Amino acid sequence: MGAYILRRLLLIVPTLIGIMVINFALVQFVPGGPIEQIIARLEGGGDVFEAISGGGDAGMRDQGGAMDERYIGARGLPPEFIAQLEREFGFDRPPLERFLTMMWNYLRFDFGTSYFRSISVVDLVLEKMPVSITLGLWSTVIAYLVSIPLGIRKAVRDGTPFDTWTSGAIIVGYAIPGFLFAILLLVLFAGGSYLQWFPLRGLTSENWAELSWPGKIVDYLWHITLPVIASTISAFATLTLLTKNSFLDEIKKQYVITARAKGLTEARVLYGHVFRNAMLIVISGFPAVFVSVFFGGSLIIETIFSLDGLGRLGFEAAVARDYPVIFGTLFVFGLIGLIMGLISDLMYVWIDPRIDFETRES
């Protein structure tokens, strides 16, 4: 097993480099970089996209009437100013040199400073982390706590009315988009047209610092109830059906028939024999599920509930072409995702020692 872990760890390096190379190369062809953003703001044009979509060439010529072929929207700005911006952002160097410098810094976990926020990327991510931890952790835990017992019950009572109506409810829940369900929750329970049981925005109240510890816990749970429910709905449906199908596959196997023939109770057969094998694929996937919810983010959910998390951070960085934030978070999250993939494999072995990845590879 040690050799397998070593190979997987070594494979992380080229995989991560490949991810960074592809994304860095794509960015070179995307119009509207950081310099264009600054030019658009200086000229009062809102953002670079208005300059790109603005009609004609009138705003693209310098004071002498010549077209500025490098930056859209450079309306008569002095060339010295443009050159100074290029030096500050490092765009006066070739792309290959910039990429190698960036990767060298990242290997030392130096992710630089945001172009437009005057704060280090690490501090910026840590500032947004509580929201993403809240949505990711609570959504994953609740999905597992509800889906596993429900999936087992559906497998045991397969084909019964209980299985039929719960399947219908699950399908309806899966079919409703998360953002639409979030809006429905706001309308019904957060001061929309009906009840006002929950707050409309934020992770805590304005007077949170003045509350006692029990009060802080209650206030925190009060604020996260609706966002967590909205972000859990789709994962809940998928995980329930996965649990049910996994149990149905195991219940039909010969060892279950043998256990019943020996006179074991149904509960002993189900939880003493079937559970461990059936839960292999469900429990071992916990790290991957958490990472997908945590880092995949929920931009729309965060926007609807006015939560300032990593989802909104990534979107705003992409719109503003804040490259340190984009590439820094991509590197860290890519690295964590690859490590979590390895942890998922190790959980397979921990749950079922019969699995041997080294034997399968050979």
Side-chain angles (χ1 to χ4, degrees), residues 137-354:
L137 184 59
W138 283 108
S139 298
T140 304
V141 170
I142 291 176
Y144 270 80
L145 290 178
V146 174
S147 299
I148 291 178
L150 180 59
I152 295 174
R153 181 109 176 145
K154 285 175 62 62
V156 173
R157 304 183 62 179
D158 183 41
T160 64
F162 172 82
D163 180 43
T164 301
W165 71 260
T166 53
S167 295
I170 288 172
I171 292 174
V172 171
Y174 185 77
I176 299 177
F179 75 90
L180 186 59
F181 191 70
I183 295 175
L184 179 63
L185 291 176
L186 283 179
V187 172
L188 294 178
F189 303 110
S193 303
Y194 298 93
L195 306 174
Q196 194 171 359
W197 290 353
F198 298 96
L200 185 61
R201 60 176 58 87
L203 197 62
T204 56
S205 300
E206 294 182 357
N207 64 334
W208 189 79
E210 303 173 1
L211 299 175
S212 61
W213 278 109
K216 289 181 179 180
I217 294 175
V218 172
D219 183 74
Y220 170 75
L221 295 175
W222 182 48
H223 279 76
I224 69 171
T225 299
L226 296 186
V228 168
I229 292 175
S231 60
T232 305
I233 188 70
S234 60
F236 158 77
T238 303
L239 191 57
T240 300
L241 295 179
L242 177 63
T243 303
K244 176 191 173 181
N245 294 332
S246 180
F247 264 81
L248 284 177
D249 290 340
E250 291 296 326
I251 289 174
K252 297 176 182 178
K253 291 184 177 179
Q254 183 63 41
Y255 75 90
V256 177
I257 299 176
T258 303
R260 287 171 175 168
K262 290 181 178 180
L264 297 180
T265 63
E266 192 64 23
R268 179 68 182 276
V269 171
L270 187 63
Y271 294 102
H273 293 76
V274 176
F275 185 84
R276 182 172 183 176
N277 295 329
M279 285 292 97
L280 175 62
I281 189 173
V282 178
I283 298 177
S284 61
F286 181 87
V289 172
F290 174 69
V291 169
S292 65
V293 176
F294 181 63
F295 295 122
S298 183
L299 170 61
I300 299 178
I301 299 297
E302 291 179 8
T303 302
I304 291 175
F305 290 99
S306 300
L307 300 174
D308 195 9
L310 294 176
R312 292 183 65 179
L313 173 64
F315 174 75
E316 293 171 357
V319 171
R321 300 298 191 267
D322 198 342
Y323 292 159
V325 177
I326 294 174
F327 290 121
T329 53
L330 177 66
F331 180 88
V332 174
F333 297 162
L335 177 61
I336 294 177
L338 293 171
I339 293 176
M340 284 299 179
L342 174 59
I343 293 177
S344 295
D345 289 346
L346 296 180
M347 288 191 68
Y348 273 109
V349 179
W350 177 65
I351 296 173
D352 189 351
R354 295 172 299 176

Side-chain angles (χ1 to χ4, degrees), residues 9-18 20-21 98-112 122 324 327-332 334-335 338-339:
L9 291 175
L10 293 177
L11 186 61
I12 288 177
V13 177
T15 303
L16 190 58
I17 292 177
M20 299 301 296
V21 167
R98 287 190 282 119
F99 176 78
L100 294 177
T101 302
M102 180 185 71
M103 291 303 298
W104 171 246
N105 291 334
Y106 285 2
L107 290 176
R108 295 179 292 139
F109 293 96
D110 178 9
F111 302 106
V122 174
F327 290 121
T329 53
L330 177 66
F331 180 88
V332 174
L335 177 61
L338 293 171
I339 293 176

Side-chain angles (χ1 to χ4, degrees), residues 31-52:
I35 294 181
E36 284 91 337
Q37 291 284 352
I38 292 180
I39 292 173
R41 295 179 183 183
L42 289 175
E43 296 295 335
D47 59 35
V48 70
F49 301 106
E50 296 181 12
I52 293 175

